[in-house]
Amino acid sequence: MQYATITGWGKCLPPAVLTNHDLATFIETSDEWIKPRTGISQRHISHVDTSALASVAAQRALDAAGLTGADLDMIILATASPDTLIPNIASTVQANVGAHCAAFDINAACSGFLYGLGLASSQIRSGQCQKVLVIGAERLSFYLDWSRRETAVLFGDGAGAVILEATDKAEGVLGYELNNDPAGREILKAGFGTAMDRFDAASLDFYIQFDGQEIFKRAITGMGKLSKQVLAKCQLDKDDVDLVIPHQANERIIDTLVSRMKIDKDKAFVNIANYGNTSAATIPIAICDALEQGRIQPGQTILSCAFGAGLTSAAAVIKWGSRVTPLKTSQAQLPPCDKTGLELVKRAADYFCKR
Ligand SMILES: CC(C)(COP(=O)(O)OP(=O)(O)OC[C@H]1O[C@@H](n2cnc3c(N)ncnc32)[C@H](O)[C@@H]1OP(=O)(O)O)[C@@H](O)C(=O)NCCC(=O)NCCS
Protein backbone atom coordinates (compact mmCIF):
# COMPACT_ATOMS: atom_id res chain seq x y z
CA MET A 1 0.00 0.00 0.00
CA GLN A 2 1.24 3.49 -0.86
CA TYR A 3 1.38 6.28 1.72
CA ALA A 4 2.24 9.96 1.25
CA THR A 5 4.84 11.31 3.65
CA ILE A 6 6.34 14.78 4.12
CA THR A 7 10.02 14.77 3.12
CA GLY A 8 10.68 18.47 2.60
CA TRP A 9 9.47 21.76 4.01
CA GLY A 10 10.24 25.43 3.51
CA LYS A 11 8.84 28.82 4.47
CA CYS A 12 9.33 32.33 3.16
CA LEU A 13 8.51 35.38 5.25
CA PRO A 14 9.18 38.74 3.62
CA PRO A 15 11.68 40.69 5.78
CA ALA A 16 9.60 43.85 6.42
CA VAL A 17 7.63 43.75 9.66
CA LEU A 18 4.65 45.87 10.73
CA THR A 19 4.21 45.93 14.50
CA ASN A 20 1.07 46.69 16.48
CA HIS A 21 2.74 49.98 17.45
CA ASP A 22 3.26 50.80 13.74
CA LEU A 23 -0.45 50.22 13.11
CA ALA A 24 -1.33 52.58 15.94
CA THR A 25 0.42 55.41 14.04
CA PHE A 26 -2.32 55.53 11.40
CA ILE A 27 -5.43 53.81 12.82
CA GLU A 28 -7.10 54.01 16.21
CA THR A 29 -5.80 50.85 17.78
CA SER A 30 -3.13 49.76 20.26
CA ASP A 31 -0.91 46.86 21.20
CA GLU A 32 -2.97 46.68 24.41
CA TRP A 33 -6.11 45.96 22.35
CA ILE A 34 -4.60 43.70 19.68
CA LYS A 35 -2.30 41.42 21.71
CA PRO A 36 -4.71 40.16 24.40
CA ARG A 37 -7.65 39.96 21.97
CA THR A 38 -5.80 38.06 19.20
CA GLY A 39 -2.30 37.01 20.32
CA ILE A 40 -0.75 39.03 17.46
CA SER A 41 2.29 41.29 18.01
CA GLN A 42 3.46 41.82 14.43
CA ARG A 43 2.94 40.70 10.85
CA HIS A 44 5.19 40.58 7.76
CA ILE A 45 4.46 42.78 4.74
CA SER A 46 5.64 41.65 1.34
CA HIS A 47 7.60 43.79 -1.13
CA VAL A 48 7.16 41.09 -3.81
CA ASP A 49 4.29 39.20 -5.44
CA THR A 50 2.68 36.12 -3.88
CA SER A 51 4.32 33.92 -6.54
CA ALA A 52 7.78 35.16 -5.51
CA LEU A 53 7.11 34.22 -1.86
CA ALA A 54 5.75 30.87 -3.03
CA SER A 55 8.76 30.18 -5.27
CA VAL A 56 11.28 30.71 -2.46
CA ALA A 57 9.28 28.53 -0.04
CA ALA A 58 8.99 25.87 -2.77
CA GLN A 59 12.71 25.87 -3.56
CA ARG A 60 13.54 25.61 0.14
CA ALA A 61 11.16 22.63 0.47
CA LEU A 62 12.73 20.95 -2.57
CA ASP A 63 16.22 21.46 -1.11
CA ALA A 64 15.11 20.09 2.27
CA ALA A 65 13.87 16.94 0.48
CA GLY A 66 17.05 16.68 -1.61
CA LEU A 67 15.02 17.02 -4.83
CA THR A 68 14.93 19.34 -7.82
CA GLY A 69 11.89 20.73 -9.60
CA ALA A 70 12.39 18.16 -12.37
CA ASP A 71 11.50 15.39 -9.87
CA LEU A 72 7.97 16.72 -9.29
CA ASP A 73 4.79 15.12 -10.67
CA MET A 74 2.41 17.86 -9.52
CA ILE A 75 2.32 21.34 -7.96
CA ILE A 76 -0.73 22.44 -5.96
CA LEU A 77 -0.69 26.06 -4.80
CA ALA A 78 -3.30 27.22 -2.30
CA THR A 79 -3.91 30.96 -2.33
CA ALA A 80 -6.68 33.52 -2.11
CA SER A 81 -4.35 36.34 -3.19
CA PRO A 82 -2.65 35.31 -6.45
CA ASP A 83 -0.73 37.97 -8.40
CA THR A 84 -2.29 36.74 -11.65
CA LEU A 85 -5.68 35.08 -12.07
CA ILE A 86 -4.82 33.79 -15.54
CA PRO A 87 -2.50 32.00 -15.71
CA ASN A 88 -2.43 30.50 -12.24
CA ILE A 89 0.61 31.25 -10.10
CA ALA A 90 1.47 27.57 -9.64
CA SER A 91 2.78 27.93 -13.20
CA THR A 92 5.04 30.81 -12.12
CA VAL A 93 6.45 28.66 -9.32
CA GLN A 94 6.81 25.78 -11.77
CA ALA A 95 8.88 27.93 -14.13
CA ASN A 96 11.01 29.20 -11.23
CA VAL A 97 11.82 25.73 -9.85
CA GLY A 98 12.22 24.09 -13.29
CA ALA A 99 9.40 21.52 -13.02
CA HIS A 100 7.65 19.71 -15.90
CA CYS A 101 4.35 18.53 -14.47
CA ALA A 102 0.73 19.42 -13.68
CA ALA A 103 0.41 22.72 -11.81
CA PHE A 104 -2.68 24.50 -10.53
CA ASP A 105 -3.98 26.90 -7.87
CA ILE A 106 -6.79 26.21 -5.44
CA ASN A 107 -8.79 28.72 -3.41
CA ALA A 108 -10.21 27.37 -0.19
CA ALA A 109 -9.09 30.49 1.72
CA CYS A 110 -7.40 29.69 5.04
CA SER A 111 -8.17 25.97 4.67
CA GLY A 112 -6.44 25.92 1.27
CA PHE A 113 -3.19 24.28 2.34
CA LEU A 114 -4.96 21.36 4.04
CA TYR A 115 -7.26 21.01 1.01
CA GLY A 116 -4.09 20.80 -1.14
CA LEU A 117 -2.40 18.38 1.24
CA GLY A 118 -5.44 16.10 1.12
CA LEU A 119 -5.66 16.17 -2.67
CA ALA A 120 -1.92 15.59 -3.00
CA SER A 121 -1.95 12.61 -0.63
CA SER A 122 -4.81 11.05 -2.61
CA GLN A 123 -2.87 11.50 -5.86
CA ILE A 124 0.04 9.66 -4.31
CA ARG A 125 -1.99 6.94 -2.58
CA SER A 126 -3.80 6.18 -5.85
CA GLY A 127 -0.45 5.69 -7.61
CA GLN A 128 -1.01 8.62 -9.98
CA CYS A 129 1.88 10.68 -8.55
CA GLN A 130 5.10 9.96 -6.64
CA LYS A 131 6.22 13.45 -5.64
CA VAL A 132 3.93 16.43 -5.12
CA LEU A 133 4.74 19.99 -4.04
CA VAL A 134 2.00 21.64 -1.95
CA ILE A 135 2.29 25.37 -1.26
CA GLY A 136 0.26 27.89 0.72
CA ALA A 137 1.11 31.49 -0.19
CA GLU A 138 -0.59 34.81 0.47
CA ARG A 139 -0.14 38.54 0.12
CA LEU A 140 -3.24 39.62 1.99
CA SER A 141 -1.79 43.07 2.69
CA PHE A 142 -2.92 43.93 -0.86
CA TYR A 143 -6.57 43.14 -0.02
CA LEU A 144 -6.87 45.10 3.20
CA ASP A 145 -8.62 48.39 3.71
CA TRP A 146 -5.98 49.86 6.01
CA SER A 147 -8.46 52.28 7.58
CA ARG A 148 -10.59 49.44 9.01
CA ARG A 149 -8.99 48.49 12.29
CA GLU A 150 -11.18 45.41 12.74
CA THR A 151 -9.46 43.69 9.80
CA ALA A 152 -6.20 45.60 9.28
CA VAL A 153 -4.64 44.26 12.48
CA LEU A 154 -5.29 40.57 11.81
CA PHE A 155 -3.55 39.55 8.60
CA GLY A 156 -0.02 39.16 7.25
CA ASP A 157 1.93 37.94 4.21
CA GLY A 158 4.03 34.81 3.76
CA ALA A 159 4.39 31.39 2.17
CA GLY A 160 5.11 27.82 3.19
CA ALA A 161 5.52 24.58 1.25
CA VAL A 162 5.94 20.85 1.73
CA ILE A 163 7.01 17.98 -0.49
CA LEU A 164 4.90 14.83 -0.24
CA GLU A 165 6.50 11.61 -1.46
CA ALA A 166 5.25 8.06 -1.91
CA THR A 167 6.39 5.51 0.67
CA ASP A 168 5.52 1.94 1.65
CA LYS A 169 5.75 2.86 5.35
CA ALA A 170 2.48 3.58 7.17
CA GLU A 171 3.25 7.27 7.78
CA GLY A 172 2.54 10.72 6.39
CA VAL A 173 -1.02 11.90 5.75
CA LEU A 174 -3.05 9.09 7.36
CA GLY A 175 -6.40 10.76 6.70
CA TYR A 176 -8.10 14.04 5.94
CA GLU A 177 -11.57 15.59 6.05
CA LEU A 178 -12.75 18.58 4.02
CA ASN A 179 -15.99 20.53 4.27
CA ASN A 180 -17.66 23.73 3.16
CA ASP A 181 -20.69 25.50 4.60
CA PRO A 182 -22.09 27.88 1.96
CA ALA A 183 -24.54 29.34 4.50
CA GLY A 184 -21.49 31.21 5.82
CA ARG A 185 -20.41 32.66 2.45
CA GLU A 186 -21.42 36.21 3.36
CA ILE A 187 -19.79 36.48 6.78
CA LEU A 188 -16.22 36.50 5.44
CA LYS A 189 -15.42 37.89 2.02
CA ALA A 190 -13.43 40.20 -0.22
CA GLY A 191 -15.71 41.65 -2.86
CA PHE A 192 -13.14 41.74 -5.68
CA GLY A 193 -14.65 40.49 -8.94
CA THR A 194 -18.19 40.28 -7.63
CA ALA A 195 -19.56 43.45 -9.26
CA MET A 196 -21.34 42.57 -12.52
CA ASP A 197 -20.31 45.83 -14.14
CA ARG A 198 -16.55 46.10 -14.47
CA PHE A 199 -16.84 49.87 -15.03
CA ASP A 200 -18.71 50.32 -11.76
CA ALA A 201 -16.29 51.95 -9.30
CA ALA A 202 -17.51 49.51 -6.63
CA SER A 203 -15.86 46.67 -8.53
CA LEU A 204 -12.49 48.24 -7.68
CA ASP A 205 -13.43 48.92 -4.08
CA PHE A 206 -12.58 45.54 -2.68
CA TYR A 207 -11.36 44.71 0.80
CA ILE A 208 -11.61 41.90 3.31
CA GLN A 209 -14.69 42.17 5.51
CA PHE A 210 -16.17 39.83 8.06
CA ASP A 211 -18.37 39.30 11.08
CA GLY A 212 -15.63 38.52 13.61
CA GLN A 213 -17.76 37.08 16.38
CA GLU A 214 -19.74 34.83 14.05
CA ILE A 215 -16.54 33.49 12.47
CA PHE A 216 -15.03 33.00 15.90
CA LYS A 217 -17.89 30.65 16.87
CA ARG A 218 -18.12 28.83 13.56
CA ALA A 219 -14.35 28.35 13.40
CA ILE A 220 -14.32 26.47 16.68
CA THR A 221 -17.34 24.35 15.74
CA GLY A 222 -16.05 23.61 12.21
CA MET A 223 -12.48 22.74 13.18
CA GLY A 224 -13.63 20.73 16.20
CA LYS A 225 -16.10 18.69 14.15
CA LEU A 226 -13.65 17.83 11.37
CA SER A 227 -10.86 17.11 13.84
CA LYS A 228 -13.04 14.55 15.61
CA GLN A 229 -14.11 13.07 12.27
CA VAL A 230 -10.57 12.65 10.98
CA LEU A 231 -9.35 11.11 14.24
CA ALA A 232 -12.23 8.62 14.11
CA LYS A 233 -11.47 7.86 10.46
CA CYS A 234 -7.85 7.08 11.39
CA GLN A 235 -9.04 5.05 14.41
CA LEU A 236 -7.21 7.35 16.76
CA ASP A 237 -8.19 8.97 20.02
CA LYS A 238 -7.48 12.59 21.02
CA ASP A 239 -4.93 11.23 23.52
CA ASP A 240 -2.94 9.73 20.61
CA VAL A 241 -2.26 13.25 19.32
CA ASP A 242 1.25 14.53 20.14
CA LEU A 243 0.92 17.94 18.55
CA VAL A 244 -1.93 20.08 17.19
CA ILE A 245 -1.06 22.49 14.37
CA PRO A 246 -4.17 24.62 13.99
CA HIS A 247 -4.88 27.56 11.70
CA GLN A 248 -3.69 30.76 13.38
CA ALA A 249 -6.48 33.34 13.12
CA ASN A 250 -6.79 34.22 16.79
CA GLU A 251 -5.00 32.65 19.77
CA ARG A 252 -8.29 32.64 21.69
CA ILE A 253 -9.85 30.46 18.97
CA ILE A 254 -7.00 27.95 19.39
CA ASP A 255 -7.33 27.96 23.20
CA THR A 256 -11.07 27.35 23.04
CA LEU A 257 -10.70 24.65 20.38
CA VAL A 258 -8.20 22.54 22.33
CA SER A 259 -10.02 23.08 25.59
CA ARG A 260 -13.33 21.86 24.04
CA MET A 261 -11.52 18.85 22.56
CA LYS A 262 -9.99 18.18 26.00
CA ILE A 263 -6.50 18.26 24.53
CA ASP A 264 -3.69 19.61 26.70
CA LYS A 265 -3.04 23.28 25.78
CA ASP A 266 0.70 22.62 25.65
CA LYS A 267 0.11 20.34 22.67
CA ALA A 268 -1.16 23.23 20.54
CA PHE A 269 1.45 24.92 18.38
CA VAL A 270 1.00 28.71 18.36
CA ASN A 271 3.08 31.17 16.35
CA ILE A 272 0.45 33.84 15.58
CA ALA A 273 2.37 36.49 17.56
CA ASN A 274 4.98 36.80 14.80
CA TYR A 275 2.87 36.58 11.65
CA GLY A 276 -0.84 37.28 12.25
CA ASN A 277 -3.18 35.28 10.04
CA THR A 278 -1.40 34.36 6.80
CA SER A 279 -4.40 32.38 5.52
CA ALA A 280 -3.35 29.41 3.36
CA ALA A 281 0.32 29.95 4.25
CA THR A 282 -0.31 29.55 7.98
CA ILE A 283 -0.08 25.80 8.42
CA PRO A 284 3.02 25.13 6.28
CA ILE A 285 4.78 28.06 8.01
CA ALA A 286 3.77 26.56 11.38
CA ILE A 287 5.10 23.13 10.31
CA CYS A 288 8.48 24.74 9.52
CA ASP A 289 8.56 26.65 12.81
CA ALA A 290 7.56 23.55 14.79
CA LEU A 291 10.41 21.61 13.16
CA GLU A 292 12.91 24.43 13.82
CA GLN A 293 11.84 24.53 17.48
CA GLY A 294 12.11 20.74 17.91
CA ARG A 295 8.36 20.48 18.55
CA ILE A 296 8.00 17.82 15.82
CA GLN A 297 9.79 14.57 16.58
CA PRO A 298 10.11 11.39 14.47
CA GLY A 299 6.99 9.20 14.52
CA GLN A 300 4.75 11.78 16.20
CA THR A 301 1.04 11.99 15.44
CA ILE A 302 0.04 15.50 14.38
CA LEU A 303 -3.49 16.83 14.06
CA SER A 304 -3.81 19.87 11.81
CA CYS A 305 -7.05 21.80 11.26
CA ALA A 306 -8.19 24.99 9.57
CA PHE A 307 -11.20 27.08 8.60
CA GLY A 308 -11.69 29.99 6.25
CA ALA A 309 -13.93 31.86 3.85
CA GLY A 310 -16.53 29.72 2.16
CA LEU A 311 -16.86 28.77 5.01
CA THR A 312 -14.32 26.03 4.41
CA SER A 313 -12.96 23.73 7.06
CA ALA A 314 -10.37 20.97 6.92
CA ALA A 315 -8.49 18.59 9.19
CA ALA A 316 -5.71 16.08 8.62
CA VAL A 317 -3.80 13.53 10.68
CA ILE A 318 -0.11 13.32 9.82
CA LYS A 319 2.23 10.70 11.23
CA TRP A 320 5.64 12.31 10.92
CA GLY A 321 8.41 10.21 9.33
CA SER A 322 11.93 9.61 10.61
CA ARG A 323 13.63 12.82 9.45
CA VAL A 324 13.19 16.21 11.13
CA THR A 325 16.15 18.01 9.55
CA PRO A 326 16.56 19.18 5.95
CA LEU A 327 18.78 17.14 3.63
CA LYS A 328 20.30 20.31 2.19
CA THR A 329 20.46 23.93 3.33
CA SER A 330 18.75 26.08 0.72
CA GLN A 331 20.28 29.16 -0.88
CA ALA A 332 16.91 30.41 -2.17
CA GLN A 333 16.34 34.07 -1.22
CA LEU A 334 13.94 36.88 -1.97
CA PRO A 335 15.30 40.03 -3.60
CA PRO A 336 16.39 42.52 -0.91
CA CYS A 337 13.84 44.95 0.53
CA ASP A 338 14.90 48.49 1.42
CA LYS A 339 11.62 49.53 3.09
CA THR A 340 10.09 49.03 6.51
CA GLY A 341 6.66 47.44 6.90
CA LEU A 342 5.22 50.86 7.65
CA GLU A 343 6.77 52.32 4.49
CA LEU A 344 5.35 49.46 2.41
CA VAL A 345 1.76 50.02 3.58
CA LYS A 346 2.02 53.83 3.81
CA ARG A 347 0.60 54.64 0.35
CA ALA A 348 -2.39 52.34 0.81
CA ALA A 349 -2.90 53.54 4.39
CA ASP A 350 -2.87 57.20 3.26
CA TYR A 351 -5.32 56.41 0.47
CA PHE A 352 -7.81 54.55 2.68
CA CYS A 353 -7.50 56.76 5.75
CA LYS A 354 -8.03 60.01 3.77
CA ARG A 355 -11.17 58.82 1.91
C1 LIG B 1 -11.94 40.23 15.07
C2 LIG B 1 -11.86 39.88 16.55
C3 LIG B 1 -10.43 39.92 17.02
C4 LIG B 1 -12.64 40.95 17.31
O1 LIG B 1 -12.62 40.66 18.71
P1 LIG B 1 -13.93 40.86 19.59
O2 LIG B 1 -13.58 40.56 20.98
O3 LIG B 1 -15.02 40.05 18.93
O4 LIG B 1 -14.18 42.42 19.46
P2 LIG B 1 -15.47 43.17 18.91
O5 LIG B 1 -15.60 42.98 17.43
O6 LIG B 1 -16.65 42.80 19.77
O7 LIG B 1 -15.09 44.67 19.20
C5 LIG B 1 -15.00 45.17 20.52
C6 LIG B 1 -14.67 46.65 20.47
O8 LIG B 1 -13.31 46.81 20.01
C7 LIG B 1 -13.31 47.69 18.88
N1 LIG B 1 -12.24 47.26 17.98
C8 LIG B 1 -12.34 46.40 16.95
N2 LIG B 1 -11.14 46.24 16.38
C9 LIG B 1 -10.27 47.02 17.07
C10 LIG B 1 -8.90 47.29 16.97
N3 LIG B 1 -8.13 46.72 16.02
N4 LIG B 1 -8.32 48.12 17.85
C11 LIG B 1 -9.05 48.70 18.81
N5 LIG B 1 -10.37 48.50 18.97
C12 LIG B 1 -10.97 47.66 18.10
C13 LIG B 1 -14.67 47.58 18.27
O9 LIG B 1 -14.97 48.73 17.51
C14 LIG B 1 -15.55 47.43 19.49
O10 LIG B 1 -15.75 48.70 20.04
P3 LIG B 1 -17.17 49.08 20.69
O11 LIG B 1 -17.37 48.13 21.83
O12 LIG B 1 -16.98 50.50 21.11
O13 LIG B 1 -18.18 48.91 19.59
C15 LIG B 1 -12.47 38.48 16.84
O14 LIG B 1 -13.87 38.51 16.69
C16 LIG B 1 -11.91 37.44 15.89
O15 LIG B 1 -10.74 37.11 15.92
N6 LIG B 1 -12.76 36.84 15.04
C17 LIG B 1 -12.32 35.91 14.04
C18 LIG B 1 -11.84 36.69 12.87
C19 LIG B 1 -11.11 35.85 11.89
O16 LIG B 1 -10.43 34.98 12.25
N7 LIG B 1 -11.23 36.15 10.59
C20 LIG B 1 -10.54 35.46 9.58
C21 LIG B 1 -10.97 34.07 9.50
S1 LIG B 1 -9.91 33.06 8.59
Side-chain angles (χ1 to χ4, degrees):
M1 189 167 176
Q2 288 274 78
Y3 288 87
T5 193
I6 296 176
T7 59
W9 50 89
K11 65 176 181 181
C12 176
L13 276 312
V17 161
L18 186 71
T19 65
N20 292 349
H21 300 290
D22 291 333
L23 278 163
T25 64
F26 63 89
I27 44 174
E28 208 180 317
T29 192
S30 62
D31 185 53
E32 291 71 31
W33 191 94
I34 303 168
K35 182 74 178 146
R37 273 250 187 11
T38 67
I40 301 167
S41 297
Q42 61 169 44
R43 66 287 296 141
H44 291 247
I45 304 293
S46 186
H47 63 300
V48 294
D49 288 334
T50 310
S51 59
L53 300 172
S55 297
V56 170
Q59 188 57 54
R60 289 176 178 167
L62 283 165
D63 289 332
L67 299 175
T68 69
D71 297 316
L72 293 171
D73 300 314
M74 182 174 281
I75 300 173
I76 303 176
L77 195 156
T79 186
S81 51
D83 36 283
T84 56
L85 283 177
I86 304 170
N88 62 46
I89 64 167
S91 62
T92 313
V93 175
Q94 178 177 27
N96 288 340
V97 302
H100 316 280
C101 61
F104 58 97
D105 293 359
I106 55 172
N107 177 354
C110 303
S111 310
F113 176 79
L114 287 182
Y115 264 63
L117 194 78
L119 298 181
S121 72
S122 290
Q123 287 291 303
I124 289 174
R125 293 187 76 158
S126 72
Q128 180 76 21
C129 293
Q130 294 290 305
K131 296 176 176 56
V132 181
L133 167 63
V134 186
I135 310 163
E138 303 282 8
R139 189 177 159 231
L140 293 172
S141 59
F142 180 77
Y143 283 83
L144 292 171
D145 174 339
W146 288 96
S147 69
R148 293 172 189 263
R149 63 182 182 178
E150 60 278 18
T151 44
V153 305
L154 294 182
F155 298 97
D157 302 335
V162 300
I163 305 289
L164 273 184
E165 285 193 65
T167 177
D168 295 333
K169 293 186 207 142
E171 63 181 43
V173 182
L174 298 185
Y176 65 91
E177 288 285 306
L178 310 176
N179 190 38
N180 189 68
D181 173 14
R185 269 179 61 79
E186 291 299 315
I187 63 169
L188 171 54
K189 61 183 184 181
F192 180 59
T194 53
M196 286 298 288
D197 178 358
R198 66 184 294 198
F199 301 109
D200 177 351
S203 69
L204 296 174
D205 188 19
F206 58 90
Y207 53 88
I208 296 175
Q209 48 188 306
F210 61 67
D211 177 343
Q213 291 185 2
E214 197 52 39
I215 295 168
F216 198 102
K217 284 185 269 177
R218 295 197 196 201
I220 293 160
T221 315
M223 286 197 290
K225 186 174 160 204
L226 288 205
S227 295
K228 281 181 194 150
Q229 273 176 218
V230 76
L231 285 171
K233 194 182 210 177
C234 297
Q235 296 178 317
L236 292 169
D237 182 75
K238 63 172 179 53
D239 295 330
D240 297 316
V241 174
D242 298 304
L243 184 68
V244 183
I245 302 191
H247 179 50
Q248 316 271 322
N250 185 322
E251 192 168 351
R252 290 188 294 132
I253 293 179
I254 299 172
D255 289 349
T256 314
L257 174 76
V258 290
S259 137
R260 291 229 180 127
M261 289 189 73
K262 301 198 170 26
I263 292 178
D264 188 355
K265 189 173 178 239
D266 293 345
K267 287 187 176 178
F269 187 78
V270 181
N271 64 354
I272 192 172
N274 298 330
Y275 311 121
N277 178 352
T278 57
S279 188
T282 301
I283 287 175
I285 291 172
I287 290 174
C288 293
D289 282 1
L291 282 158
E292 280 169 22
Q293 293 169 26
R295 292 285 303 273
I296 295 179
Q297 291 298 319
Q300 275 186 341
T301 300
I302 298 166
L303 170 68
S304 188
C305 52
F307 70 96
L311 291 173
T312 53
S313 48
V317 171
I318 302 162
K319 190 170 167 56
W320 201 264
S322 53
R323 190 163 52 76
V324 289
T325 50
L327 283 177
K328 186 178 148 196
T329 307
S330 183
Q331 302 303 318
Q333 293 290 350
L334 288 177
C337 173
D338 59 2
K339 290 195 167 67
T340 64
L342 197 51
E343 285 166 352
L344 284 171
V345 301
K346 181 94 181 61
R347 202 164 140 234
D350 285 349
Y351 168 78
F352 285 112
C353 294
K354 280 179 191 150
R355 278 196 311 172

